[in-house]
mmCIF file with all atom_site columns, all heavy atoms in Angstrom:
data_model
loop_
_atom_site.group_PDB
_atom_site.id
_atom_site.type_symbol
_atom_site.label_atom_id
_atom_site.label_alt_id
_atom_site.label_comp_id
_atom_site.label_asym_id
_atom_site.label_entity_id
_atom_site.label_seq_id
_atom_site.pdbx_PDB_ins_code
_atom_site.Cartn_x
_atom_site.Cartn_y
_atom_site.Cartn_z
_atom_site.occupancy
_atom_site.B_iso_or_equiv
_atom_site.pdbx_formal_charge
_atom_site.auth_seq_id
_atom_site.auth_comp_id
_atom_site.auth_asym_id
_atom_site.auth_atom_id
_atom_site.pdbx_PDB_model_num
ATOM 1   N N   . LEU Z 1 1  ? -7.628  -13.268 -0.317  1.00 88.00 ? 62 LEU Z N   1
ATOM 2   C CA  . LEU Z 1 1  ? -7.400  -13.730 -1.697  1.00 88.00 ? 62 LEU Z CA  1
ATOM 3   C C   . LEU Z 1 1  ? -6.626  -15.047 -1.755  1.00 88.00 ? 62 LEU Z C   1
ATOM 4   O O   . LEU Z 1 1  ? -6.584  -15.690 -2.789  1.00 88.00 ? 62 LEU Z O   1
ATOM 5   C CB  . LEU Z 1 1  ? -6.652  -12.663 -2.499  1.00 88.00 ? 62 LEU Z CB  1
ATOM 6   C CG  . LEU Z 1 1  ? -7.489  -11.443 -2.906  1.00 88.00 ? 62 LEU Z CG  1
ATOM 7   C CD1 . LEU Z 1 1  ? -6.610  -10.376 -3.537  1.00 88.00 ? 62 LEU Z CD1 1
ATOM 8   C CD2 . LEU Z 1 1  ? -8.617  -11.816 -3.874  1.00 88.00 ? 62 LEU Z CD2 1
ATOM 9   N N   . SER Z 1 2  ? -6.021  -15.439 -0.625  1.00 83.00 ? 63 SER Z N   1
ATOM 10  C CA  . SER Z 1 2  ? -5.285  -16.715 -0.633  1.00 83.00 ? 63 SER Z CA  1
ATOM 11  C C   . SER Z 1 2  ? -6.248  -17.886 -0.851  1.00 83.00 ? 63 SER Z C   1
ATOM 12  O O   . SER Z 1 2  ? -5.857  -18.973 -1.238  1.00 83.00 ? 63 SER Z O   1
ATOM 13  C CB  . SER Z 1 2  ? -4.511  -16.903 0.670   1.00 83.00 ? 63 SER Z CB  1
ATOM 14  O OG  . SER Z 1 2  ? -5.431  -17.014 1.749   1.00 83.00 ? 63 SER Z OG  1
ATOM 15  N N   . ALA Z 1 3  ? -7.560  -17.633 -0.612  1.00 77.00 ? 64 ALA Z N   1
ATOM 16  C CA  . ALA Z 1 3  ? -8.569  -18.665 -0.899  1.00 77.00 ? 64 ALA Z CA  1
ATOM 17  C C   . ALA Z 1 3  ? -8.684  -18.887 -2.403  1.00 77.00 ? 64 ALA Z C   1
ATOM 18  O O   . ALA Z 1 3  ? -9.186  -19.912 -2.853  1.00 77.00 ? 64 ALA Z O   1
ATOM 19  C CB  . ALA Z 1 3  ? -9.921  -18.235 -0.342  1.00 77.00 ? 64 ALA Z CB  1
ATOM 20  N N   . THR Z 1 4  ? -8.229  -17.909 -3.191  1.00 83.00 ? 65 THR Z N   1
ATOM 21  C CA  . THR Z 1 4  ? -8.304  -18.049 -4.653  1.00 83.00 ? 65 THR Z CA  1
ATOM 22  C C   . THR Z 1 4  ? -6.883  -18.048 -5.221  1.00 83.00 ? 65 THR Z C   1
ATOM 23  O O   . THR Z 1 4  ? -6.125  -18.958 -4.987  1.00 83.00 ? 65 THR Z O   1
ATOM 24  C CB  . THR Z 1 4  ? -9.155  -16.913 -5.260  1.00 83.00 ? 65 THR Z CB  1
ATOM 25  O OG1 . THR Z 1 4  ? -8.565  -15.658 -4.889  1.00 83.00 ? 65 THR Z OG1 1
ATOM 26  C CG2 . THR Z 1 4  ? -10.579 -16.961 -4.770  1.00 83.00 ? 65 THR Z CG2 1
ATOM 27  N N   . HIS Z 1 5  ? -6.518  -17.005 -5.942  1.00 84.00 ? 66 HIS Z N   1
ATOM 28  C CA  . HIS Z 1 5  ? -5.192  -16.981 -6.560  1.00 84.00 ? 66 HIS Z CA  1
ATOM 29  C C   . HIS Z 1 5  ? -4.795  -15.536 -6.840  1.00 84.00 ? 66 HIS Z C   1
ATOM 30  O O   . HIS Z 1 5  ? -5.583  -14.765 -7.361  1.00 84.00 ? 66 HIS Z O   1
ATOM 31  C CB  . HIS Z 1 5  ? -5.242  -17.769 -7.878  1.00 84.00 ? 66 HIS Z CB  1
ATOM 32  C CG  . HIS Z 1 5  ? -4.114  -17.458 -8.795  1.00 84.00 ? 66 HIS Z CG  1
ATOM 33  N ND1 . HIS Z 1 5  ? -2.848  -17.944 -8.587  1.00 84.00 ? 66 HIS Z ND1 1
ATOM 34  C CD2 . HIS Z 1 5  ? -4.029  -16.685 -9.901  1.00 84.00 ? 66 HIS Z CD2 1
ATOM 35  C CE1 . HIS Z 1 5  ? -2.049  -17.479 -9.542  1.00 84.00 ? 66 HIS Z CE1 1
ATOM 36  N NE2 . HIS Z 1 5  ? -2.748  -16.712 -10.348 1.00 84.00 ? 66 HIS Z NE2 1
ATOM 37  N N   . ILE Z 1 6  ? -3.570  -15.171 -6.455  1.00 91.00 ? 67 ILE Z N   1
ATOM 38  C CA  . ILE Z 1 6  ? -3.048  -13.838 -6.781  1.00 91.00 ? 67 ILE Z CA  1
ATOM 39  C C   . ILE Z 1 6  ? -1.876  -14.041 -7.732  1.00 91.00 ? 67 ILE Z C   1
ATOM 40  O O   . ILE Z 1 6  ? -0.951  -14.796 -7.429  1.00 91.00 ? 67 ILE Z O   1
ATOM 41  C CB  . ILE Z 1 6  ? -2.551  -13.083 -5.526  1.00 91.00 ? 67 ILE Z CB  1
ATOM 42  C CG1 . ILE Z 1 6  ? -3.616  -13.058 -4.425  1.00 91.00 ? 67 ILE Z CG1 1
ATOM 43  C CG2 . ILE Z 1 6  ? -2.138  -11.666 -5.886  1.00 91.00 ? 67 ILE Z CG2 1
ATOM 44  C CD1 . ILE Z 1 6  ? -3.155  -12.420 -3.121  1.00 91.00 ? 67 ILE Z CD1 1
ATOM 45  N N   . ASP Z 1 7  ? -1.932  -13.382 -8.895  1.00 95.00 ? 68 ASP Z N   1
ATOM 46  C CA  . ASP Z 1 7  ? -0.789  -13.480 -9.825  1.00 95.00 ? 68 ASP Z CA  1
ATOM 47  C C   . ASP Z 1 7  ? 0.446   -12.855 -9.208  1.00 95.00 ? 68 ASP Z C   1
ATOM 48  O O   . ASP Z 1 7  ? 1.556   -13.369 -9.357  1.00 95.00 ? 68 ASP Z O   1
ATOM 49  C CB  . ASP Z 1 7  ? -1.115  -12.769 -11.141 1.00 95.00 ? 68 ASP Z CB  1
ATOM 50  C CG  . ASP Z 1 7  ? -2.070  -13.589 -11.977 1.00 95.00 ? 68 ASP Z CG  1
ATOM 51  O OD1 . ASP Z 1 7  ? -3.257  -13.677 -11.617 1.00 95.00 ? 68 ASP Z OD1 1
ATOM 52  O OD2 . ASP Z 1 7  ? -1.630  -14.169 -12.967 1.00 95.00 ? 68 ASP Z OD2 1
ATOM 53  N N   . GLY Z 1 8  ? 0.256   -11.709 -8.530  1.00 96.00 ? 69 GLY Z N   1
ATOM 54  C CA  . GLY Z 1 8  ? 1.404   -11.074 -7.893  1.00 96.00 ? 69 GLY Z CA  1
ATOM 55  C C   . GLY Z 1 8  ? 1.164   -9.612  -7.613  1.00 96.00 ? 69 GLY Z C   1
ATOM 56  O O   . GLY Z 1 8  ? 0.063   -9.088  -7.812  1.00 96.00 ? 69 GLY Z O   1
ATOM 57  N N   . ALA Z 1 9  ? 2.228   -8.956  -7.127  1.00 96.00 ? 70 ALA Z N   1
ATOM 58  C CA  . ALA Z 1 9  ? 2.148   -7.542  -6.736  1.00 96.00 ? 70 ALA Z CA  1
ATOM 59  C C   . ALA Z 1 9  ? 3.069   -6.704  -7.602  1.00 96.00 ? 70 ALA Z C   1
ATOM 60  O O   . ALA Z 1 9  ? 4.159   -7.145  -7.983  1.00 96.00 ? 70 ALA Z O   1
ATOM 61  C CB  . ALA Z 1 9  ? 2.549   -7.394  -5.276  1.00 96.00 ? 70 ALA Z CB  1
ATOM 62  N N   . ILE Z 1 10 ? 2.602   -5.483  -7.888  1.00 97.00 ? 71 ILE Z N   1
ATOM 63  C CA  . ILE Z 1 10 ? 3.446   -4.479  -8.553  1.00 97.00 ? 71 ILE Z CA  1
ATOM 64  C C   . ILE Z 1 10 ? 3.747   -3.445  -7.482  1.00 97.00 ? 71 ILE Z C   1
ATOM 65  O O   . ILE Z 1 10 ? 2.829   -2.971  -6.800  1.00 97.00 ? 71 ILE Z O   1
ATOM 66  C CB  . ILE Z 1 10 ? 2.704   -3.831  -9.732  1.00 97.00 ? 71 ILE Z CB  1
ATOM 67  C CG1 . ILE Z 1 10 ? 2.417   -4.873  -10.800 1.00 97.00 ? 71 ILE Z CG1 1
ATOM 68  C CG2 . ILE Z 1 10 ? 3.523   -2.683  -10.323 1.00 97.00 ? 71 ILE Z CG2 1
ATOM 69  C CD1 . ILE Z 1 10 ? 1.297   -4.518  -11.707 1.00 97.00 ? 71 ILE Z CD1 1
ATOM 70  N N   . ILE Z 1 11 ? 5.011   -3.107  -7.321  1.00 96.00 ? 72 ILE Z N   1
ATOM 71  C CA  . ILE Z 1 11 ? 5.404   -2.157  -6.278  1.00 96.00 ? 72 ILE Z CA  1
ATOM 72  C C   . ILE Z 1 11 ? 5.847   -0.857  -6.937  1.00 96.00 ? 72 ILE Z C   1
ATOM 73  O O   . ILE Z 1 11 ? 6.694   -0.868  -7.834  1.00 96.00 ? 72 ILE Z O   1
ATOM 74  C CB  . ILE Z 1 11 ? 6.508   -2.756  -5.388  1.00 96.00 ? 72 ILE Z CB  1
ATOM 75  C CG1 . ILE Z 1 11 ? 5.979   -4.042  -4.739  1.00 96.00 ? 72 ILE Z CG1 1
ATOM 76  C CG2 . ILE Z 1 11 ? 6.945   -1.758  -4.322  1.00 96.00 ? 72 ILE Z CG2 1
ATOM 77  C CD1 . ILE Z 1 11 ? 6.988   -4.830  -3.962  1.00 96.00 ? 72 ILE Z CD1 1
ATOM 78  N N   . VAL Z 1 12 ? 5.223   0.248   -6.515  1.00 96.00 ? 73 VAL Z N   1
ATOM 79  C CA  . VAL Z 1 12 ? 5.495   1.559   -7.125  1.00 96.00 ? 73 VAL Z CA  1
ATOM 80  C C   . VAL Z 1 12 ? 6.386   2.366   -6.180  1.00 96.00 ? 73 VAL Z C   1
ATOM 81  O O   . VAL Z 1 12 ? 6.151   2.420   -4.969  1.00 96.00 ? 73 VAL Z O   1
ATOM 82  C CB  . VAL Z 1 12 ? 4.169   2.323   -7.387  1.00 96.00 ? 73 VAL Z CB  1
ATOM 83  C CG1 . VAL Z 1 12 ? 4.442   3.663   -8.072  1.00 96.00 ? 73 VAL Z CG1 1
ATOM 84  C CG2 . VAL Z 1 12 ? 3.230   1.482   -8.257  1.00 96.00 ? 73 VAL Z CG2 1
ATOM 85  N N   . THR Z 1 13 ? 7.415   2.999   -6.757  1.00 96.00 ? 74 THR Z N   1
ATOM 86  C CA  . THR Z 1 13 ? 8.312   3.845   -5.968  1.00 96.00 ? 74 THR Z CA  1
ATOM 87  C C   . THR Z 1 13 ? 8.671   5.094   -6.762  1.00 96.00 ? 74 THR Z C   1
ATOM 88  O O   . THR Z 1 13 ? 8.354   5.198   -7.941  1.00 96.00 ? 74 THR Z O   1
ATOM 89  C CB  . THR Z 1 13 ? 9.593   3.068   -5.591  1.00 96.00 ? 74 THR Z CB  1
ATOM 90  O OG1 . THR Z 1 13 ? 10.394  3.877   -4.718  1.00 96.00 ? 74 THR Z OG1 1
ATOM 91  C CG2 . THR Z 1 13 ? 10.431  2.714   -6.817  1.00 96.00 ? 74 THR Z CG2 1
ATOM 92  N N   . THR Z 1 14 ? 9.315   6.044   -6.094  1.00 95.00 ? 75 THR Z N   1
ATOM 93  C CA  . THR Z 1 14 ? 9.955   7.168   -6.791  1.00 95.00 ? 75 THR Z CA  1
ATOM 94  C C   . THR Z 1 14 ? 11.458  6.990   -6.578  1.00 95.00 ? 75 THR Z C   1
ATOM 95  O O   . THR Z 1 14 ? 11.875  6.159   -5.766  1.00 95.00 ? 75 THR Z O   1
ATOM 96  C CB  . THR Z 1 14 ? 9.437   8.522   -6.250  1.00 95.00 ? 75 THR Z CB  1
ATOM 97  O OG1 . THR Z 1 14 ? 9.462   8.490   -4.813  1.00 95.00 ? 75 THR Z OG1 1
ATOM 98  C CG2 . THR Z 1 14 ? 8.027   8.814   -6.717  1.00 95.00 ? 75 THR Z CG2 1
ATOM 99  N N   . PRO Z 1 15 ? 12.326  7.738   -7.292  1.00 95.00 ? 76 PRO Z N   1
ATOM 100 C CA  . PRO Z 1 15 ? 13.751  7.393   -7.292  1.00 95.00 ? 76 PRO Z CA  1
ATOM 101 C C   . PRO Z 1 15 ? 14.520  7.677   -5.999  1.00 95.00 ? 76 PRO Z C   1
ATOM 102 O O   . PRO Z 1 15 ? 15.585  7.106   -5.790  1.00 95.00 ? 76 PRO Z O   1
ATOM 103 C CB  . PRO Z 1 15 ? 14.325  8.259   -8.432  1.00 95.00 ? 76 PRO Z CB  1
ATOM 104 C CG  . PRO Z 1 15 ? 13.148  8.750   -9.213  1.00 95.00 ? 76 PRO Z CG  1
ATOM 105 C CD  . PRO Z 1 15 ? 12.013  8.802   -8.267  1.00 95.00 ? 76 PRO Z CD  1
ATOM 106 N N   . GLN Z 1 16 ? 14.002  8.571   -5.131  1.00 93.00 ? 77 GLN Z N   1
ATOM 107 C CA  . GLN Z 1 16 ? 14.843  8.994   -4.000  1.00 93.00 ? 77 GLN Z CA  1
ATOM 108 C C   . GLN Z 1 16 ? 14.842  7.975   -2.861  1.00 93.00 ? 77 GLN Z C   1
ATOM 109 O O   . GLN Z 1 16 ? 13.908  7.206   -2.695  1.00 93.00 ? 77 GLN Z O   1
ATOM 110 C CB  . GLN Z 1 16 ? 14.424  10.391  -3.512  1.00 93.00 ? 77 GLN Z CB  1
ATOM 111 C CG  . GLN Z 1 16 ? 13.167  10.470  -2.676  1.00 93.00 ? 77 GLN Z CG  1
ATOM 112 C CD  . GLN Z 1 16 ? 11.912  10.541  -3.493  1.00 93.00 ? 77 GLN Z CD  1
ATOM 113 O OE1 . GLN Z 1 16 ? 11.795  9.902   -4.531  1.00 93.00 ? 77 GLN Z OE1 1
ATOM 114 N NE2 . GLN Z 1 16 ? 10.934  11.290  -3.012  1.00 93.00 ? 77 GLN Z NE2 1
ATOM 115 N N   . GLU Z 1 17 ? 15.899  8.005   -2.069  1.00 94.00 ? 78 GLU Z N   1
ATOM 116 C CA  . GLU Z 1 17 ? 16.121  7.016   -1.005  1.00 94.00 ? 78 GLU Z CA  1
ATOM 117 C C   . GLU Z 1 17 ? 14.997  6.998   0.029   1.00 94.00 ? 78 GLU Z C   1
ATOM 118 O O   . GLU Z 1 17 ? 14.639  5.942   0.549   1.00 94.00 ? 78 GLU Z O   1
ATOM 119 C CB  . GLU Z 1 17 ? 17.477  7.288   -0.336  1.00 94.00 ? 78 GLU Z CB  1
ATOM 120 C CG  . GLU Z 1 17 ? 17.837  6.344   0.798   1.00 94.00 ? 78 GLU Z CG  1
ATOM 121 C CD  . GLU Z 1 17 ? 17.853  4.867   0.413   1.00 94.00 ? 78 GLU Z CD  1
ATOM 122 O OE1 . GLU Z 1 17 ? 18.137  4.548   -0.770  1.00 94.00 ? 78 GLU Z OE1 1
ATOM 123 O OE2 . GLU Z 1 17 ? 17.555  4.023   1.275   1.00 94.00 ? 78 GLU Z OE2 1
ATOM 124 N N   . VAL Z 1 18 ? 14.396  8.161   0.328   1.00 92.00 ? 79 VAL Z N   1
ATOM 125 C CA  . VAL Z 1 18 ? 13.296  8.218   1.311   1.00 92.00 ? 79 VAL Z CA  1
ATOM 126 C C   . VAL Z 1 18 ? 12.163  7.278   0.897   1.00 92.00 ? 79 VAL Z C   1
ATOM 127 O O   . VAL Z 1 18 ? 11.531  6.634   1.731   1.00 92.00 ? 79 VAL Z O   1
ATOM 128 C CB  . VAL Z 1 18 ? 12.772  9.678   1.441   1.00 92.00 ? 79 VAL Z CB  1
ATOM 129 C CG1 . VAL Z 1 18 ? 11.473  9.739   2.214   1.00 92.00 ? 79 VAL Z CG1 1
ATOM 130 C CG2 . VAL Z 1 18 ? 13.814  10.546  2.124   1.00 92.00 ? 79 VAL Z CG2 1
ATOM 131 N N   . SER Z 1 19 ? 11.903  7.198   -0.402  1.00 93.00 ? 80 SER Z N   1
ATOM 132 C CA  . SER Z 1 19 ? 10.857  6.312   -0.912  1.00 93.00 ? 80 SER Z CA  1
ATOM 133 C C   . SER Z 1 19 ? 11.343  4.861   -0.955  1.00 93.00 ? 80 SER Z C   1
ATOM 134 O O   . SER Z 1 19 ? 10.644  3.938   -0.538  1.00 93.00 ? 80 SER Z O   1
ATOM 135 C CB  . SER Z 1 19 ? 10.431  6.771   -2.311  1.00 93.00 ? 80 SER Z CB  1
ATOM 136 O OG  . SER Z 1 19 ? 9.485   5.893   -2.843  1.00 93.00 ? 80 SER Z OG  1
ATOM 137 N N   . LEU Z 1 20 ? 12.562  4.665   -1.454  1.00 95.00 ? 81 LEU Z N   1
ATOM 138 C CA  . LEU Z 1 20 ? 13.096  3.303   -1.606  1.00 95.00 ? 81 LEU Z CA  1
ATOM 139 C C   . LEU Z 1 20 ? 13.182  2.577   -0.262  1.00 95.00 ? 81 LEU Z C   1
ATOM 140 O O   . LEU Z 1 20 ? 12.983  1.368   -0.187  1.00 95.00 ? 81 LEU Z O   1
ATOM 141 C CB  . LEU Z 1 20 ? 14.483  3.352   -2.256  1.00 95.00 ? 81 LEU Z CB  1
ATOM 142 C CG  . LEU Z 1 20 ? 14.516  3.882   -3.697  1.00 95.00 ? 81 LEU Z CG  1
ATOM 143 C CD1 . LEU Z 1 20 ? 15.953  4.128   -4.138  1.00 95.00 ? 81 LEU Z CD1 1
ATOM 144 C CD2 . LEU Z 1 20 ? 13.835  2.921   -4.662  1.00 95.00 ? 81 LEU Z CD2 1
ATOM 145 N N   . GLN Z 1 21 ? 13.466  3.332   0.788   1.00 94.00 ? 82 GLN Z N   1
ATOM 146 C CA  . GLN Z 1 21 ? 13.583  2.751   2.125   1.00 94.00 ? 82 GLN Z CA  1
ATOM 147 C C   . GLN Z 1 21 ? 12.284  2.036   2.517   1.00 94.00 ? 82 GLN Z C   1
ATOM 148 O O   . GLN Z 1 21 ? 12.301  0.926   3.032   1.00 94.00 ? 82 GLN Z O   1
ATOM 149 C CB  . GLN Z 1 21 ? 13.860  3.895   3.111   1.00 94.00 ? 82 GLN Z CB  1
ATOM 150 C CG  . GLN Z 1 21 ? 14.498  3.450   4.400   1.00 94.00 ? 82 GLN Z CG  1
ATOM 151 C CD  . GLN Z 1 21 ? 14.939  4.658   5.219   1.00 94.00 ? 82 GLN Z CD  1
ATOM 152 O OE1 . GLN Z 1 21 ? 14.325  5.726   5.159   1.00 94.00 ? 82 GLN Z OE1 1
ATOM 153 N NE2 . GLN Z 1 21 ? 15.991  4.513   5.979   1.00 94.00 ? 82 GLN Z NE2 1
ATOM 154 N N   . ASP Z 1 22 ? 11.153  2.690   2.241   1.00 94.00 ? 83 ASP Z N   1
ATOM 155 C CA  . ASP Z 1 22 ? 9.856   2.086   2.565   1.00 94.00 ? 83 ASP Z CA  1
ATOM 156 C C   . ASP Z 1 22 ? 9.504   0.964   1.595   1.00 94.00 ? 83 ASP Z C   1
ATOM 157 O O   . ASP Z 1 22 ? 8.821   0.006   1.962   1.00 94.00 ? 83 ASP Z O   1
ATOM 158 C CB  . ASP Z 1 22 ? 8.756   3.160   2.535   1.00 94.00 ? 83 ASP Z CB  1
ATOM 159 C CG  . ASP Z 1 22 ? 8.860   4.109   3.727   1.00 94.00 ? 83 ASP Z CG  1
ATOM 160 O OD1 . ASP Z 1 22 ? 9.585   3.772   4.670   1.00 94.00 ? 83 ASP Z OD1 1
ATOM 161 O OD2 . ASP Z 1 22 ? 8.226   5.173   3.705   1.00 94.00 ? 83 ASP Z OD2 1
ATOM 162 N N   . VAL Z 1 23 ? 9.960   1.095   0.360   1.00 94.00 ? 84 VAL Z N   1
ATOM 163 C CA  . VAL Z 1 23 ? 9.654   0.069   -0.645  1.00 94.00 ? 84 VAL Z CA  1
ATOM 164 C C   . VAL Z 1 23 ? 10.391  -1.237  -0.324  1.00 94.00 ? 84 VAL Z C   1
ATOM 165 O O   . VAL Z 1 23 ? 9.865   -2.328  -0.543  1.00 94.00 ? 84 VAL Z O   1
ATOM 166 C CB  . VAL Z 1 23 ? 9.984   0.597   -2.062  1.00 94.00 ? 84 VAL Z CB  1
ATOM 167 C CG1 . VAL Z 1 23 ? 9.965   -0.517  -3.081  1.00 94.00 ? 84 VAL Z CG1 1
ATOM 168 C CG2 . VAL Z 1 23 ? 8.960   1.670   -2.440  1.00 94.00 ? 84 VAL Z CG2 1
ATOM 169 N N   . ARG Z 1 24 ? 11.586  -1.126  0.231   1.00 96.00 ? 85 ARG Z N   1
ATOM 170 C CA  . ARG Z 1 24 ? 12.315  -2.349  0.648   1.00 96.00 ? 85 ARG Z CA  1
ATOM 171 C C   . ARG Z 1 24 ? 11.503  -3.108  1.693   1.00 96.00 ? 85 ARG Z C   1
ATOM 172 O O   . ARG Z 1 24 ? 11.442  -4.338  1.685   1.00 96.00 ? 85 ARG Z O   1
ATOM 173 C CB  . ARG Z 1 24 ? 13.698  -1.994  1.211   1.00 96.00 ? 85 ARG Z CB  1
ATOM 174 C CG  . ARG Z 1 24 ? 14.666  -1.530  0.145   1.00 96.00 ? 85 ARG Z CG  1
ATOM 175 C CD  . ARG Z 1 24 ? 16.078  -1.360  0.704   1.00 96.00 ? 85 ARG Z CD  1
ATOM 176 N NE  . ARG Z 1 24 ? 16.866  -0.584  -0.240  1.00 96.00 ? 85 ARG Z NE  1
ATOM 177 C CZ  . ARG Z 1 24 ? 17.100  0.717   -0.142  1.00 96.00 ? 85 ARG Z CZ  1
ATOM 178 N NH1 . ARG Z 1 24 ? 16.601  1.403   0.870   1.00 96.00 ? 85 ARG Z NH1 1
ATOM 179 N NH2 . ARG Z 1 24 ? 17.825  1.343   -1.046  1.00 96.00 ? 85 ARG Z NH2 1
ATOM 180 N N   . LYS Z 1 25 ? 10.861  -2.353  2.599   1.00 94.00 ? 86 LYS Z N   1
ATOM 181 C CA  . LYS Z 1 25 ? 10.009  -2.999  3.620   1.00 94.00 ? 86 LYS Z CA  1
ATOM 182 C C   . LYS Z 1 25 ? 8.843   -3.727  2.938   1.00 94.00 ? 86 LYS Z C   1
ATOM 183 O O   . LYS Z 1 25 ? 8.438   -4.807  3.345   1.00 94.00 ? 86 LYS Z O   1
ATOM 184 C CB  . LYS Z 1 25 ? 9.453   -1.942  4.592   1.00 94.00 ? 86 LYS Z CB  1
ATOM 185 C CG  . LYS Z 1 25 ? 10.505  -1.259  5.454   1.00 94.00 ? 86 LYS Z CG  1
ATOM 186 C CD  . LYS Z 1 25 ? 9.836   -0.268  6.409   1.00 94.00 ? 86 LYS Z CD  1
ATOM 187 C CE  . LYS Z 1 25 ? 10.839  0.463   7.287   1.00 94.00 ? 86 LYS Z CE  1
ATOM 188 N NZ  . LYS Z 1 25 ? 11.560  1.518   6.590   1.00 94.00 ? 86 LYS Z NZ  1
ATOM 189 N N   . GLU Z 1 26 ? 8.279   -3.080  1.900   1.00 94.00 ? 87 GLU Z N   1
ATOM 190 C CA  . GLU Z 1 26 ? 7.143   -3.672  1.172   1.00 94.00 ? 87 GLU Z CA  1
ATOM 191 C C   . GLU Z 1 26 ? 7.573   -4.975  0.490   1.00 94.00 ? 87 GLU Z C   1
ATOM 192 O O   . GLU Z 1 26 ? 6.829   -5.963  0.473   1.00 94.00 ? 87 GLU Z O   1
ATOM 193 C CB  . GLU Z 1 26 ? 6.640   -2.669  0.135   1.00 94.00 ? 87 GLU Z CB  1
ATOM 194 C CG  . GLU Z 1 26 ? 5.257   -2.965  -0.399  1.00 94.00 ? 87 GLU Z CG  1
ATOM 195 C CD  . GLU Z 1 26 ? 4.150   -2.604  0.584   1.00 94.00 ? 87 GLU Z CD  1
ATOM 196 O OE1 . GLU Z 1 26 ? 4.125   -1.499  1.127   1.00 94.00 ? 87 GLU Z OE1 1
ATOM 197 O OE2 . GLU Z 1 26 ? 3.297   -3.481  0.781   1.00 94.00 ? 87 GLU Z OE2 1
#
């Protein structure tokens, strides 16, 4: 998609730390 244009990313998480830990990597 870098050949065109990406407006951006939406990142989905749940509230607990187990999820947030992976979301920080994202």
